[in-house]
Amino acid sequence: MNIIVCIKQVPGTNKVNVDPVTGTLIRDGVAAKMNPYDLYALEMGLRLKEKYGGTLKVLSMGPFSALEVIREAIYMGADGGILISDRKFGGADVLATSYTLCSGILAMGEFDLILTGKQTTDGDTAQVGSELAEHLKVPHAAYVRELELEGDRLRYVSNLDNKTVEATIKMPCLVCADGEVNTPRLPSFKRKMEYGNCDDLIKIITFDDIIDRDETHYGLKGSPTQVERIFEPDKTKEKVIIAEGDLAEETFKILKDRKYI
Amino acid sequence: MGLLINQKLVNDETGRQLEKLCPFGAISYTDGRLEIGAGCKLCKMCVRKGPEGVVTFAEEEVMKVNKDQYRGVCVYADSDHGVIHKVTFELIGKARELAKVIDHPVYAILIGSDTDENVRELLEYGVDRVFVYDHPELKDFDIEKYANCFADFIERIRPSSILVGATNVGRCLAPRVAARFHTGLTADCTRLEMKENTDLVQIRPAFGGNIMAQIINPYRRPQFCTVRYKIFDSPEKVENPTGTVERVQIKDEWLESSTEILAVHEKEKEMDISEADVIVAVGRGLKSADDIGMVQELADLLGGVVACSRPLVEAGIFDAKHQIGLSGKTVKPKLIITLGISGAIQFTSGMNSSECIIAVNSDPEAQIFDVCNYGIVGDIYDVVPKLIKMIKGE
Ligand SMILES: Cc1cc2nc3c(=O)[nH]c(=O)nc-3n(C[C@H](O)[C@H](O)[C@@H](O)COP(=O)(O)OP(=O)(O)OC[C@H]3O[C@@H](n4cnc5c(N)ncnc54)[C@H](O)[C@@H]3O)c2cc1C
Ligand SMILES: Cc1cc2nc3c(=O)[nH]c(=O)nc-3n(C[C@H](O)[C@H](O)[C@H](O)COP(=O)(O)OP(=O)(O)OC[C@H]3O[C@@H](n4cnc5c(N)ncnc54)[C@H](O)[C@@H]3O)c2cc1C
């Protein structure tokens, strides 16, 4: 089975604040890391590969610093990785990101299974996986908790609100792993020693390497959504202390005002 | 394209300043040259807040649609085996507000099997026209079949905006369909406003709620967004529904699928306090295990679960899976009511990012009042039973 797992590098913390004076984002200097939800997808893929053979590669779109998370994936057991990086891809929303990932995958050749995480911890839309499946014109399943090979299909269990669904799906296909579905392994020290910088295992794809080179499909030009402004949520923790009067009634009013009842 | 750098204005000062300013670390200043890397998200912070003229933004010709050809604010009716998810009604309420601004009709699209009852409900909430895709093979959610029906609706009706509930089904379906039409999709909006030119202003949290982003989709249609349950108010039903219904003839090719559903299981209602939207947490203010009844009743009335502080686990009153805190679970519900809990840091560290904290404690000096939004200084044995009565409308 040929598996590709999509991984994204995200800020080490999502504790960002808006500077009240300048209106800019303040991030403390915590190093970037692999999107935690992608670890579950990666672990899911590695287990399939170990059981049924084949190859597993990771794919990431982002700046060169994202090489770091590709290396981490290789230390965990991926056979190799691809970074899609080009300034032309910058400013991408979900549509353009998923389209770029699709172009990258098509440039990588055949695949049986694409795995993505449930969502990221920065953009946090949980949309890239489903849009990617649409661009690739393959079926997909989301919120998948268990995944097994069954003949030439995959058998999965997915989590749909208050139901769980058991189903099989034809390959090639895409699967978005749900969160907390396994315990991702740690990067292996041995592999780290063996592969070091992983230079031979990582390929970098730029705009010139992809098949569809219509610039209006990528980056800003390919992004229908525009972030008009970013601001800090209204965190004015209005604190109200009520010590007198009919306390039950006051509590009732609060619950009603805030629509809890 | 996009951002342009005027290298003539770049020097050590402006370079470093811009490097620091970029929230995404995408600007680098090395050897006297300023570069914008692939990490750029085009938030244009460098243009607006940076030293004047160094980075500028070039507007460009973009693919534009004729917005006049798109009419209607549509809600996807999330129906699970005949039960419409309540988020649908909340969205209909919002759609009516939005549609009023631009004098558009409100549509609903309903996909499923045996939908008559659901259609009636949708009309009762004031939908102008319900488009029904009803077929026995649409009984279970199947992403390919549902996406095909949805696509047919968009192609024929050309709605201007589409609101989808952010259930797992909605979050799977909306992106698939939005991508098919190469249009934008904004996730988990918490505020929606309509401009007179039919652009939908969409506001959503990102970075785990630490940042709000205002997003528009000015050049393409339909404009798609998802909204979580309980963000908007549920509207009143209308007195005399006047909406109409269009039952769409299902084509066989829409029902082709690569997925074979083997079984659908109702999820066991397993208690996980960290998943709950509403929590009533009780502490040592509880005098006896027999009093759990009132706590449970309050939680039930609010659609929530009961949790506790550590001493109650140690006393064997609750199982450990109910414990909040450092050595228990971290929770972030929409609402938590603490009853007779002092607010030790080991407890509050597990719940202080909850959206709304109401603390009831008889000691005005209790630390819990430092972290709460509403502090009720009183005896839980007075407040809770009365509150229960009021909620029950007695
Ligand atoms: C504040 C803010 C709000 C935003 N809101 C929206 C919005 O509402 N709509 C919109 O279209 N865009 C939005 N964007 C842009 C969007 O978040 C990102 O640009 C997009 O690249 C990725 O979306 P995501 O991080 O939400 O990924 P998700 O959809 O949450 O990611 C799901 C999975 O897709 C894979 N994946 C995602 N990105 C990559 C990548 N770069 N490389 C490899 N795999 C990847 C991973 O497996 C991941 O687990 C927003 C950006 C910001 C900064
Ligand atoms: C390493 C470590 C880890 C810990 N981990 C946890 C943890 O995960 N979770 C946790 O909860 N604790 C934890 N603790 C214990 C923690 O320090 C506190 O002791 C504990 O949280 C106190 O619980 P409490 O608030 O229910 O009880 P108390 O501190 O005894 O508070 C009871 C409160 O109830 C009020 N009260 C009494 N009667 C009434 C009444 N009739 N009406 C209204 N109010 C009334 C009192 O004014 C008082 O404030 C940990 C401690 C350590 C050292």
Side-chain angles (χ1 to χ4, degrees), chain A residues 201-216:
Chain A
L201 301 179
I202 301 179
K203 207 175 133 194
I204 295 174
I205 295 183
T206 65
F207 185 75
D208 296 327
D209 302 313
I210 54 183
I211 301 160
D212 172 11
R213 256 167 281 165
D214 181 339
E215 286 193 24
T216 63

Side-chain angles (χ1 to χ4, degrees), chain B residues 283-284 309-311 323-327 340 342 346 361-362 379-380:
Chain B
R284 257 212 318 229
S309 63
R310 194 166 81 171
Q323 181 189 324
I324 294 175
L326 192 64
S327 50
S342 60
Q346 294 88 359
N361 193 311
S362 48
D379 190 320
I380 58 172

